[in-house]
Amino acid sequence: MNSSMVIGQYVPGDSPVHHMDPRAKITIIFFFVIVVFFANSVASYGALALFALLSVGVTKIPPRFIAKGLKPVWFLIIFTFILHLVVTKEGNVLFSVLGFDVYSGALIQGVAISLRFFLLILITSLLTLTTTPIAITDAIESILHPLKRIKFPVHELALMMSISLRFIPTLMQETEKISKAQASRGVDFRTGPIKERLKAIVPLLVPLFVSAFKRAEELAMAMEARGYQGGEGRTKLRELALRKIDYMVLVLFTFVIIAVFLTRA
């Protein structure tokens, strides 16, 4: 397992979450993203956090692997927290740091927004960690199937979304490899004036774009060689079907939603 980036990466496993119908997982994540914005109390955030952490535990994926893979977003979470401490001026002054007064309202809001951001990233990452790109494509196509009546290209949209998710870790690995190669040639990305660092990024972006277009061309040629002509008339090797575990998790998540709304401040 490559832990440099978990978003878009699939980790094979035999957990109940891996065996769930991808449509059930997408439905849960969709409503989780909505409900998390309604949470505004310790109890409501606690219910969502408990559900997310239990989901991580059931997947049997090492938490350390997930935490290390989320390193690229830790900076955004910490920056969001610090930004609220500096900008928000609500409540009582708790203490001062470097001439800035930190208010109680700023601390509460900073923790809430940062926790909300963390939960969103964590729960959405579980989809790609426990679901293959093909299963995600089939699930999205199944959910959006009614739109075919208005000639909406459902299969093509699902395929593009699946390929995009699949290539996120690939492009991140490619970026890391190119940056190390450039650094070994004396290119410095971390020190010096901002203008010089921006110039240093150009040798990184050019080969990255070339590599991305090359991979896209190779994928298109491979699909064409296999006779791919879109979703019309295609059959499925495995038909999606909701099972007992899917209904149980959906019912459990329904109780979580009810708990969030009942415990709102």
Side-chain angles (χ1 to χ4, degrees):
M1 293 187 296
N2 180 22
S3 58
S4 61
M5 185 71 172
V6 300
I7 301 175
Q9 187 173 173
Y10 171 67
V11 179
D14 193 37
S15 71
V17 179
H18 282 82
H19 293 299
M20 281 182 63
D21 189 298
R23 294 172 299 178
K25 287 188 274 189
I26 291 175
T27 302
I28 290 172
I29 290 172
F30 175 77
F31 284 103
F32 187 97
V33 171
I34 295 174
V35 172
V36 75
F37 287 99
F38 286 93
N40 63 353
S41 66
V42 175
S44 57
Y45 275 111
L48 292 171
L50 181 62
F51 179 81
L53 295 176
L54 283 176
S55 301
V56 172
V58 174
T59 61
K60 300 179 182 178
I61 299 174
R64 185 177 297 179
F65 167 78
I66 297 177
K68 189 176 180 181
L70 291 176
K71 282 174 64 176
V73 301
W74 282 120
F75 170 78
L76 293 176
I77 295 174
I78 296 173
F79 175 77
T80 301
F81 176 73
I82 295 176
L83 184 64
H84 279 86
L85 291 184
V86 174
V87 174
T88 306
K89 307 295 183 182
E90 298 178 0
N92 302 319
V93 177
L94 298 178
F95 53 88
S96 297
V97 178
L98 300 177
F100 290 99
D101 293 330
V102 177
Y103 293 78
S104 57
L107 184 62
I108 294 173
Q109 190 170 351
V111 171
I113 299 300
S114 300
L115 179 59
R116 182 181 296 171
F117 189 22
F118 171 74
L119 290 175
L120 288 174
I121 298 297
L122 179 62
I123 203 71
T124 51
S125 298
L126 290 182
L127 175 64
T128 55
L129 285 171
T130 61
T131 316
T132 62
I134 295 177
I136 294 176
T137 302
D138 292 342
I140 295 175
E141 185 176 358
S142 176
I143 293 172
L144 300 179
H145 183 76
L147 295 178
K148 286 187 176 181
R149 297 179 180 178
I150 58 174
K151 305 298 182 180
F152 189 82
V154 172
H155 176 78
E156 287 72 14
L157 176 64
L159 183 65
M160 286 190 296
M161 293 176 65
S162 176
I163 292 175
S164 300
L165 288 172
R166 168 62 184 84
F167 274 92
I168 289 176
T170 303
L171 291 177
M172 292 296 294
Q173 293 171 17
E174 194 74 22
T175 302
E176 185 179 0
K177 185 170 65 174
I178 295 173
S179 62
K180 288 181 178 179
Q182 296 290 356
S184 67
R185 292 173 174 82
V187 179
D188 191 356
F189 298 101
R190 300 184 178 181
T191 59
I194 295 179
K195 185 177 180 180
E196 294 299 323
R197 280 188 281 178
L198 290 176
K199 287 183 179 179
I201 294 178
V202 176
L204 176 66
L205 293 179
V206 173
L208 180 62
F209 274 103
V210 171
S211 175
F213 284 123
K214 184 178 178 182
R215 288 180 183 275
E217 183 181 10
E218 291 174 351
L219 178 61
M221 292 177 63
M223 293 172 67
E224 186 177 356
R226 287 166 173 77
Y228 177 78
Q229 296 179 346
E232 198 65 34
R234 289 176 62 86
T235 58
K236 301 287 191 301
L237 177 63
R238 296 181 180 86
E239 293 291 339
L240 298 177
L242 292 172
R243 299 185 300 167
K244 185 178 179 179
I245 181 66
D246 300 309
Y247 291 112
M248 291 174 61
V249 177
L250 286 170
V251 170
L252 175 62
F253 183 65
T254 302
F255 282 117
V256 172
I257 294 177
I258 294 173
V260 169
F261 283 98
L262 290 179
T263 57
R264 291 184 76 236

